[in-house]
């Protein structure tokens, strides 16, 4: 392990042909020399070659993170210094905004508008935690007589952070920013399909002055290096965003060493349009709620419930606008819906649509792989609306993670609350109504971590993001996330003049 201090990475282009691992403040090849290729899902073309971390590299990263945490200065550095460094990271990201957007689009095939919004949010996350950490503090508690109790917030330690492919840079920011603000060291395992922007973010952290070993980025197979980190006794916490089955596996394995675990998992979020809603706002918001990011969002509002009295009028407008959605060059600012992440995911999506058809549902729009002119080798799926469904169908119960919405009618508030809660998930939800009393009542009864009232957006820096039920636990993007990257230490002191003799002997 190198002992050179304050190493600086040589600046490199954001977009390049080869990306290395970041371990102990340095770019490095994989120990085994392994590499993999990352593709642009819009075109099917290769984007770059990436060093593929092996278990040996994961071990090196744990050692580097451990050394940085146990013996380094980051965790004991003044909070103002950490705050300043987070702001510096945000500053460098701002100065490279267009490059980060371009790289994110190339690696994911998402639309320009989506990538711009997500890169900006990633920047603002660092700015948010730069502020929040300054006032994150312990407490002084009331105690009898000459006793005193103070609590301190201490960083949890070495954190393994495993992230998915749908928002590669934003997810990396959601994980890294609060953890390093709190003084932890991190090992980030990006999704194999989309590792590029997370690697660049790791480089930016080091450029901004984060000491060696505090931020390590190791793209590699989840089943190998991800699993290795989850089982490693020197890792104190696992923060995972991804699918519910892998989340369950991680929780079970992490229990062997009683790691702290936070999980952001799947969803099947209800979107409820009441009779008194502003129909046009509800149509536009519902459209964005499911088709944003090509439906590859954990909080995609994929179950749409519309009051029976407005169902036909709503559906007509909703279908018409869905057919207006534009797919095509992701770099064009009027492209609404980008590509699907890969062929496998495209087949998963189509499998759900076919299952709905076999179950007797009706395809009201879309329903098949899209052919997009100029992008014939990419992976595209038509924005799809499915009607005539019931609550037992697979397409209604399971997360599809694509641009597919199922639409159902409801009679009244009581019925729709029952339907909304009839899911093993509980991440997002949306309500469209002009009745403030109804909005309040229904918000309180929905079993979900997030309720959007007349609002198409689910996340801003500072708003808690996370799920109920099998959508996981823990909240990200907010002040309380800092509690999940810290331990509370209780210090009890006695300042009485008379020595204490509890046994009385
Ligand atoms: P995934 O297959 O669960 O993968 C997520 C991450 O876990 C990837 O980095 C993956 O690595 C890694 N991984 C795979 N197997 C592992 C193992 N055995 N041990 C440790 N790590 C392992 O999920 P995905 O397909 O990438 O993402 C889609 C899912 O994520 C959806 O279900 C979605 O709802 C959920 N999601 C949730 C949120 C939220 O905030 N709640 C946000 C975004 C996405 P590889 O890439 O190498 O396989
Ligand atoms: Mg890619």
């Amino acid at each position: 392990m190198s002992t050179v201090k304050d190493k600086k990475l040589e600046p490199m282009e954001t977009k390049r042909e080869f990306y290395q691992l970041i371990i102990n403040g340095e770019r490095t090849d994989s120990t085994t020399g392994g590499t993999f290729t990352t593709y642009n899902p819009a075109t099917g073309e290769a984007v770059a070659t990436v060093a593929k971390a092996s278990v040996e590299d994961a071990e090196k990263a744990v050692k580097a993170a451990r050394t940085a945490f146990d013996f380094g200065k980051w965790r004991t550095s003044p909070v103002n210094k950490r705050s300043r460094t987070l702001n510096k990271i945000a500053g460098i990201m701002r100065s490279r905004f267009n490059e980060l957007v371009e790289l994110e689009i190339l690696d994911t095939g998402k639309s320009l508008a989506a990538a711009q919004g997500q890169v900006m949010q990633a920047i603002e996350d660092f700015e948010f935690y730069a502020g929040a950490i300054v006032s994150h503090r312990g407490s002084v508690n009331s105690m009898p007589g000459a006793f005193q109790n103070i609590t301190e917030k201490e960083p949890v330690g070495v954190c393994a952070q495993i992230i998915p492919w749908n928002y590669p840079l934003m997810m990396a920011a959601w994980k890294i920013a609060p953890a390093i603000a709190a003084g932890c060291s991190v090992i980030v395992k990006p999704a194999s399909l989309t590792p590029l922007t997370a690697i660049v973010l790791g480089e930016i952290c080091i450029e901004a002055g984060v000491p060696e070993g505090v931020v390590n980025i190791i793209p590699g197979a989840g089943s190998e290096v991800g699993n290795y980190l989850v089982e490693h006794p020197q890792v104190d916490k696992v923060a995972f965003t991804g699918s519910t089955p892998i989340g369950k596996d991680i929780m079970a394995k992490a229990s062997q060493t009683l790691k702290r675990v936070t999980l952001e998992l799947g969803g099947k979020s209800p979107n409820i349009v009441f009779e008194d809603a502003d129909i046009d706002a509800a149509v536009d918001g519902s459209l964005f709620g499911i088709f944003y990011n090509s439906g590859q969002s954990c909080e995609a509002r994929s179950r749409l419930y519309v009051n029976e009295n407005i169902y036909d009028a709503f559906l007509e407008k909703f279908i018409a606008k869905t057919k207006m959605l534009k797919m095509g060059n992701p770099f064009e600012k009027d492209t609404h819906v980008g590509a699907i992440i890969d062929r496998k995911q495209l087949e998963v999506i189509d499998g759900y649509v076919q299952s709905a058809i076999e179950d007797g549902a009706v395809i009201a729009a879309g329903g098949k792989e899209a052919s997009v002119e100029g992008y014939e080798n990419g992976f595209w799926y038509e924005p799809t609306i499915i009607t005539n469904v019931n609550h037992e169908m697979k397409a209604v119960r399971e997360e599809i993670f694509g641009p597919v919405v199922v639409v159902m009618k409801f009679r009244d508030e009581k019925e729709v609350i029952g339907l909304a809660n009839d899911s093993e998930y509980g991440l997002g939800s949306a309500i469209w109504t002009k009745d403030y009393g109804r909005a309040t009542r229904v918000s309180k009864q929905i079993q979900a971590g997030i309720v959007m009232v007349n609002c198409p957006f689910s996340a801003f820096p500072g708003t808690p993001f996370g799920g109920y039920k099998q959508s996981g636990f823990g909240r990200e993007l907010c002040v309380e996330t800092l509690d999940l990257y810290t331990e509370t230490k209780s210090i009890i002191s006695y300042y009485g003049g008379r020595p204490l003799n509890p046994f009385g002997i």
Side-chain angles (χ1 to χ4, degrees):
M1 184 89 25
S2 164
T3 53
V4 182
K5 298 287 176 221
D6 302 317
K7 270 182 304 209
K8 285 266 178 265
L9 286 189
E10 285 296 313
M12 283 184 106
E13 294 292 319
T14 303
K15 181 171 170 293
R16 51 189 191 254
E17 283 174 9
F18 184 48
Y19 293 79
Q20 290 168 290
L21 316 176
I22 312 279
I23 300 177
N24 205 33
E26 290 182 319
R27 291 193 190 90
T28 170
D29 287 342
S30 155
T31 311
T32 57
T35 60
F36 64 101
T37 306
T38 177
Y39 293 91
N40 176 350
T43 61
E45 286 163 8
V47 179
T49 307
V50 183
K52 184 178 185 205
S54 62
V55 163
E56 290 79 18
D57 299 309
E59 180 59 32
K60 280 189 189 165
V62 172
K63 280 216 176 71
R66 198 71 259 168
T67 305
F69 188 77
D70 294 337
F71 307 110
K73 291 203 181 105
W74 181 251
R75 102 178 142 108
T76 53
S77 60
V79 71
N80 289 352
K81 182 175 175 198
R82 274 183 270 139
S83 168
R84 232 177 9 252
T85 308
L86 264 76
N87 273 323
K88 201 161 166 198
I89 294 168
I92 298 172
M93 291 171 82
R94 277 187 189 279
S95 70
R96 289 164 71 175
F97 178 79
N98 288 333
E99 294 160 54
L100 288 167
V101 168
E102 183 193 3
L103 192 61
E104 194 75 323
I105 293 172
L106 289 173
D107 212 7
T108 61
K110 66 177 71 208
S111 68
L112 178 68
Q116 285 176 329
Q118 291 160 27
V119 172
M120 187 48 77
Q121 214 229 59
I123 294 169
E124 290 172 351
D125 292 341
F126 279 92
E127 291 166 343
F128 171 74
Y129 284 110
I133 194 60
V134 175
S135 53
H136 186 249
R137 57 172 74 103
S139 58
V140 179
N141 300 305
S142 96
M143 293 288 283
F147 291 94
Q148 189 192 55
N149 177 232
I150 62 164
T151 66
E152 289 200 19
K153 296 284 185 183
E154 297 189 342
V156 110
V158 171
C159 305
Q161 305 185 307
I162 303 174
I163 57 177
W165 45 257
N166 55 345
Y167 303 121
L169 182 68
M170 207 173 80
M171 288 294 120
W174 283 25
K175 297 279 183 279
I176 297 173
I180 65 172
C184 296
S185 296
V186 305
I187 304 157
V188 178
K189 211 303 281 171
S192 295
L193 292 169
T194 57
L196 304 184
T197 47
I199 297 173
V200 174
L201 177 57
E203 294 172 347
I204 290 174
C205 289
I206 292 160
E207 190 184 330
V210 174
E212 63 194 38
V214 174
V215 174
N216 305 277
I217 317 280
I218 54 165
S223 52
E224 290 170 34
V225 294
N227 187 60
Y228 185 79
L229 295 173
V230 170
E231 292 185 332
H232 202 297
Q234 300 286 316
V235 172
D236 302 297
K237 168 173 170 132
V238 182
F240 172 78
T241 298
S243 59
T244 297
I246 306 270
K248 289 180 182 175
D249 183 54
I250 285 177
M251 190 168 163
K253 287 179 173 152
S255 74
Q256 294 307 304
T257 42
L258 280 181
K259 286 182 177 50
R260 280 74 185 117
V261 177
T262 46
L263 301 173
E264 301 274 9
L265 308 175
K268 189 79 184 176
S269 300
N271 183 20
I272 306 170
V273 185
F274 286 101
E275 195 177 353
D276 66 347
D278 173 332
I279 301 274
D280 291 322
V283 166
D284 294 341
S286 305
L287 205 67
F288 186 82
I290 181 64
F291 298 126
Y292 172 70
N293 217 48
S294 309
Q296 302 168 119
S297 296
C298 43
E299 82 289 13
R301 273 71 85 200
S302 51
R303 288 186 287 145
L304 177 53
Y305 300 97
V306 184
N307 179 275
E308 60 189 7
N309 296 325
I310 55 162
Y311 182 85
D312 291 337
F314 178 95
L315 197 62
E316 193 184 324
K317 288 189 175 190
F318 188 61
I319 292 171
K321 283 227 166 162
T322 297
K323 291 185 171 162
M324 287 164 64
L325 291 170
K326 202 172 153 247
M327 286 186 276
N329 184 351
F331 287 95
E332 300 269 332
K333 68 174 188 304
D334 63 349
T335 293
H336 303 111
V337 180
I340 303 300
I341 198 69
D342 67 356
R343 164 77 37 206
K344 198 170 132 223
Q345 185 63 17
L346 194 74
E347 281 164 11
V348 168
I349 295 166
D350 196 53
Y352 277 109
V353 172
Q354 294 311 320
S355 84
I357 294 170
E358 279 157 28
D359 288 343
V362 171
I363 305 298
K368 60 181 192 306
E369 190 172 341
S371 86
V372 180
E373 206 190 321
Y375 293 86
E376 287 77 9
N377 295 324
F379 317 116
W380 301 81
Y381 204 85
E382 293 179 349
T384 298
I385 302 172
I386 307 181
T387 60
N388 289 50
V389 295
N390 66 52
H391 246 242
E392 306 319 312
M393 291 182 187
K394 218 170 105 164
V396 174
R397 303 211 70 82
E398 296 182 17
E399 181 178 50
I400 298 176
F401 222 59
V404 180
V405 64
V406 291
V407 193
M408 289 160 276
K409 278 183 202 171
F410 70 90
R411 271 188 319 280
D412 56 26
E413 217 174 283
K414 184 160 180 273
E415 184 196 16
V416 80
I417 289 167
L419 290 168
N421 289 338
D422 177 22
S423 169
E424 65 187 26
Y425 294 115
L427 187 55
S429 60
I431 304 169
W432 301 89
T433 175
K434 287 186 193 143
D435 179 340
Y436 182 76
R438 168 178 277 158
T440 309
R441 267 192 317 275
V442 177
S443 298
K444 288 185 183 196
Q445 290 177 80
I446 288 200
Q447 297 158 357
I450 304 153
V451 184
M452 289 158 262
V453 180
N454 298 328
C455 171
F457 306 122
S458 60
F460 293 85
T463 59
F465 192 98
Y468 282 24
K469 303 197 273 188
Q470 294 196 36
S471 290
F473 48 79
R475 294 293 178 271
E476 295 191 294
L477 203 58
C478 59
V479 171
E480 65 190 272
T481 312
L482 293 172
D483 291 330
L484 302 172
Y485 282 102
T486 47
E487 298 278 12
T488 299
K489 178 170 282 173
S490 172
I491 302 174
I492 303 169
S493 313
Y494 171 70
Y495 293 105
R498 192 160 47 87
L500 298 176
N501 179 4
F503 276 128
I505 50 175

